[in-house]
Amino acid sequence: MSLKVLVVGSGGREHAIAWKISQSPQLAKLYCLPGNPGTAQIATNIPAGVGDFEAIASAVSAHGIDLVVVGPENPLVDGLTNFLKGRFPQLMVVGPGREEAQLEGSKDFAKDFMSRHGIPTAAYRTFSGATLAAARDFLKTLQPPYVLKADGLAAGKGVVILDNYANACAELEEMFSGKFGAASSKVVIEQFLSGIEVSVFVLTDGKDYLILPEAKDYKRIGDGDTGLNTGGMGAVSPVPFADKAFMDKVEERIVKPTIAGLKADGIDYKGFIFIGLMNCGGDPYVIEYNVRMGDPETESVMTRISSDLLCHLQAAAKGELAGQKIEISPEAAVTVVMVSGGYPGSYAKGYPISGLEEAQAAGATVFHMGTKAAEEGVVTSGGRVLAVVANAADIVKAGEKAYAAASKISFKDAYNRTDVTKDLLKYL
Ligand code: AMP
Ligand code: GLY
């Protein structure tokens, strides 16, 4: 079957998903809404916001779209899938509906789901302003550091970790007073887990699943994991400590009970599940679920899938994943994110970018994250600007290749971490 596909979103994640779909022999035509200058090279961009459901429906009907892939979480949590399925019952949509998206949209919902289905995660309790005194008492039963999480979506900023009791109580009061708006009217307080994190990605039709390549993300702005949190400064796949024994535990203890839990709860979930895990002494614990792919992990992950992603997406949307097999390249993928100077604080936009072709000639794949087409060519238009991805026999060689390619690219005040892969070398 020849498919017309629409990818919703505008970041590096969506560029990477579109890039992989564009290689499918089953693709008739590819659209991105709104897309970016990178997706413009492989798809037709449709200008509209990801929250403009009417515009998305118009695009579906104007272009005879067969399958929609929703990249970011906000439209999913806001019910884009329900809206599209209501308008176009035959449309295939990869991305869960509003209720299912609560796995990411409400930390309390996710923790309750995990505890009911026996999925390993940090011990927790949920409080509101009305139970502040009980929340303070619960904190006393825990050892520092204290982990406080706004229940709702808070643009990745809703988790605060504090190392003493007084600060934790003060933070709690700020959260209940609207620090993250309605998102922090409920707060999950949980046990601190120490270990190293890994991102595991699953594509499911609600009954069966495929496990995509795992990846490790680099969250802090500075080398050696210092400084402020960011959307992600780099990604490595495969992850050396996530060996077969560890990934078998992930599948048995986490993926299988998660899918079985969705089924048991009558949750019809069709889409990606991104499981943020902590490896605590060889045992996996769930830190969080996301109902979408990770960014920049996707940029590494997509380059390692050697089977036909569009075929898998179609099967997931139709509830026919049983019998599908994903093929994964043994080559490693390393992503280095180039950001605007000042990010994650304030930064300037509109600087011309040079060297994109030279980076590709150096063997990298470059995905656009925050760029814009201007008269003078492609210019910066976001904090995270470009994801430079290289593939090679192992993560060391892929890392060297990614950094060599990134060095060809320049724009004013460009910054990138210089240590992506370094923390993983001890596991090789
Ligand atoms: P999240 O927004 O849920 O991804 O959380 C942000 C980050 O906080 C995670 O990536 C972890 O690094 C950290 N984190 C969240 N929960 C815990 C926990 N229970 N123990 C230790 N670190 C945590
Ligand atoms: N890189 C982490 C995320 O996409 O949430």
Side-chain angles (χ1 to χ4, degrees), residues 128-158:
S128 66
T131 52
L132 177 63
R136 287 204 192 99
D137 289 344
F138 181 63
L139 278 174
K140 275 193 200 141
T141 70
L142 300 174
Q143 297 297 314
Y146 302 98
V147 183
L148 307 186
K149 300 186 169 186
D151 176 56
L153 290 186
K157 298 195 170 62

Side-chain angles (χ1 to χ4, degrees), residues 192-212:
F192 181 84
L193 297 173
S194 58
I196 181 160
E197 284 178 60
V198 54
S199 305
V200 170
F201 301 98
V202 174
L203 176 66
T204 184
D205 61 3
K207 310 184 298 272
D208 294 284
Y209 60 86
L210 297 175
I211 299 182
L212 278 53

Side-chain angles (χ1 to χ4, degrees), residues 9-16 34-41 45 295 299 336-340 347-356 360 366-388 409-411 414:
S10 65
R13 167 182 50 211
E14 289 77 22
H15 186 186
N36 63 37
T39 65
Q41 295 171 3
N45 283 349
D295 194 352
E299 288 88 317
V336 173
V337 175
M338 301 186 69
V339 306
S340 298
Y347 52 85
K349 296 181 187 179
Y351 295 137
I353 300 170
S354 65
L356 291 171
Q360 266 152 14
V366 181
F367 295 117
H368 292 232
M369 304 181 94
T371 70
K372 203 171 82 178
E375 263 172 37
E376 63 268 43
V378 177
V379 302
T380 64
S381 78
R384 295 190 299 166
V385 177
L386 295 166
V388 181
I409 297 176
S410 56
F411 53 88

Side-chain angles (χ1 to χ4, degrees), residues 46-268:
I46 301 171
V50 301
D52 188 346
F53 291 5
E54 284 295 341
I56 297 170
S58 299
V60 167
S61 80
H63 302 291
I65 299 295
D66 302 296
L67 184 141
V68 177
V69 185
V70 184
E73 66 276 19
N74 286 92
L76 293 168
V77 172
D78 291 341
L80 176 59
T81 300
N82 312 67
F83 175 84
L84 290 175
K85 295 294 274 185
R87 286 278 179 97
F88 311 101
Q90 301 304 315
L91 182 68
M92 294 182 274
V93 183
V94 178
R98 186 188 290 111
E99 291 302 314
E100 303 81 68
Q102 288 301 301
L103 272 187
E104 176 166 0
S106 164
K107 305 264 186 209
D108 179 47
F109 178 96
K111 295 294 288 191
D112 178 58
F113 176 87
M114 287 184 261
S115 72
R116 284 187 294 106
H117 297 294
I119 296 162
T121 187
Y124 83 108
R125 276 182 61 191
T126 304
F127 299 94
S128 66
T131 52
L132 177 63
R136 287 204 192 99
D137 289 344
F138 181 63
L139 278 174
K140 275 193 200 141
T141 70
L142 300 174
Q143 297 297 314
Y146 302 98
V147 183
L148 307 186
K149 300 186 169 186
D151 176 56
L153 290 186
K157 298 195 170 62
V159 176
V160 186
I161 299 179
L162 301 127
D163 39 15
N164 76 59
Y165 178 75
N167 290 348
C169 289
E171 177 67 31
L172 197 55
E173 281 186 46
E174 279 187 43
M175 283 182 152
F176 290 141
S177 322
K179 178 173 181 185
F180 299 106
S184 60
S185 60
K186 280 200 280 181
V187 174
V188 168
I189 301 181
E190 70 179 32
Q191 169 201 11
F192 181 84
L193 297 173
S194 58
I196 181 160
E197 284 178 60
V198 54
S199 305
V200 170
F201 301 98
V202 174
L203 176 66
T204 184
D205 61 3
K207 310 184 298 272
D208 294 284
Y209 60 86
L210 297 175
I211 299 182
L212 278 53
E214 78 287 350
K216 182 178 182 292
D217 175 20
Y218 291 74
K219 290 191 198 307
R220 303 295 190 100
I221 188 72
D223 281 0
D225 268 327
T226 52
L228 294 173
N229 254 320
T230 70
M233 298 294 294
V236 176
S237 178
V239 179
F241 63 78
D243 54 13
K244 168 130 181 27
F246 181 80
M247 290 305 288
D248 284 347
K249 289 183 195 169
V250 170
E251 181 163 10
E252 289 306 317
R253 299 180 191 174
I254 293 168
V255 177
K256 283 186 182 168
T258 296
I259 305 299
L262 292 172
K263 233 179 356 188
D265 290 358
I267 296 179
D268 179 26

